[in-house]
Amino acid sequence: MEVLAILIGLERTAREQRALDRRLCKARLPKQKSLAEYDFQFPKRIPKAAIVRLFDCEFIERHGCAVLIGPTGTGKSHLLTALGYTAVERGHSVCHTRVVDMINHLTAAQLNGLLGKTLRTDVRPSLLLLDELGYLPIDKRGADLLFQVVAARYESGSIVLTTNRTFREWGTLFDVDNTLATALIDRLMHHGEALVIKGDSYRMKDKPTDPASA
């Protein structure tokens, strides 16, 4: 009986590992990051308690959302990636993508008559991680496609998004479409929160402030 119990335990562990590997493969996460590696002392301002609370992943069960807002280099992508790995390890299905990559993928699908099928793929995961909104301009088609994803996941799936643009700048970002920007923000924030990070770029922390002194 002891041997049988050991064998059953090994089989269960193997199945759990295979399931974890499948979720990681589907998540398409970048190089692994962890919350422990993030330097909370570096930003000038950061809502640490709210960010740490995200990592219990309870918001995913409630179909909650979050938007990480801050300048380049403040660790938003690090936190997004770390959250993705944590969610996968806790058994959630995850999809990670840059906003521009998702829009390009959806645009190609629309041109090929496959938009409905592709949208279902973006709606299916429990957690959708959208990185780097605001670094590149988004035309009318792209803005409409992004809205379709957010609207389709509204109250049925979680979204965590990173951006270097404050909400008041989103109208300009979306081809001067304030109505669409307002509708996006409204859906993301109805069951979500904005987490604002302020500070300088961590990547530049060891660079001399005066180039002539280098």
Side-chain angles (χ1 to χ4, degrees):
M1 291 299 293
E2 290 180 3
V3 172
L4 181 59
I6 291 172
L7 291 174
I8 292 173
L10 290 173
E11 175 60 26
R12 182 183 299 113
T13 300
R15 283 202 305 269
E16 290 173 352
Q17 185 61 50
R18 288 194 295 271
L20 174 61
D21 291 342
R22 285 194 297 271
R23 292 196 301 274
L24 281 171
C25 182
K26 291 180 179 179
R28 303 197 302 269
L29 289 160
K31 181 180 177 181
Q32 187 164 3
K33 304 287 184 181
S34 72
L35 182 63
E37 294 171 327
Y38 185 82
D39 184 1
F40 279 98
Q41 301 302 315
F42 186 77
K44 294 177 180 177
R45 172 187 166 191
I46 184 167
K48 180 178 179 180
I51 288 173
V52 171
R53 191 166 58 246
L54 283 179
F55 281 75
D56 63 22
C57 294
E58 291 182 2
F59 76 98
I60 299 175
E61 303 291 344
R62 304 191 303 269
H63 309 308
C65 298
V67 179
L68 303 180
I69 304 170
T72 297
T74 49
K76 302 181 303 297
S77 295
H78 178 126
L79 291 168
L80 193 76
T81 301
L83 178 61
Y85 278 98
T86 299
V88 166
E89 289 167 0
R90 289 176 177 248
H92 297 286
S93 56
V94 175
C95 179
H96 176 287
T97 179
R98 295 193 307 157
V99 170
V100 64
D101 292 337
M102 186 185 72
I103 289 174
N104 289 339
H105 185 57
L106 290 171
T107 299
Q110 188 177 50
L111 293 174
N112 289 299
L114 300 171
L115 181 58
K117 180 180 179 181
T118 306
L119 277 173
R120 286 192 294 274
T121 301
D122 291 325
V123 172
R124 190 176 300 123
S126 299
L127 175 62
L128 177 62
L129 302 173
L130 298 177
D131 202 12
E132 297 183 350
L133 173 68
Y135 290 91
L136 292 172
I138 298 175
D139 62 14
K140 178 75 166 61
R141 183 201 293 267
D144 289 345
L145 290 170
L146 177 59
F147 176 77
Q148 287 190 57
V149 172
V150 173
R153 293 186 61 85
Y154 176 61
E155 295 191 324
S156 65
S158 293
I159 295 175
V160 179
L161 180 149
T162 72
T163 179
N164 64 336
R165 302 292 192 95
T166 62
F167 285 149
R168 65 175 176 271
E169 298 176 285
W170 281 26
T172 303
L173 176 63
F174 297 125
D175 198 26
V176 199
D177 191 336
N178 289 311
T179 300
L180 187 144
T182 300
L184 271 172
I185 295 166
D186 181 63
R187 283 162 176 77
L188 289 169
M189 291 294 95
H190 183 205
H191 300 295
E193 57 184 333
L195 306 175
V196 179
I197 304 172
K198 294 187 177 181
D200 302 317
S201 172
Y202 190 82
R203 301 181 190 95
M204 302 299 291
K205 68 182 179 69
D206 296 323
K207 299 288 185 181
T209 53
D210 181 2
S213 67

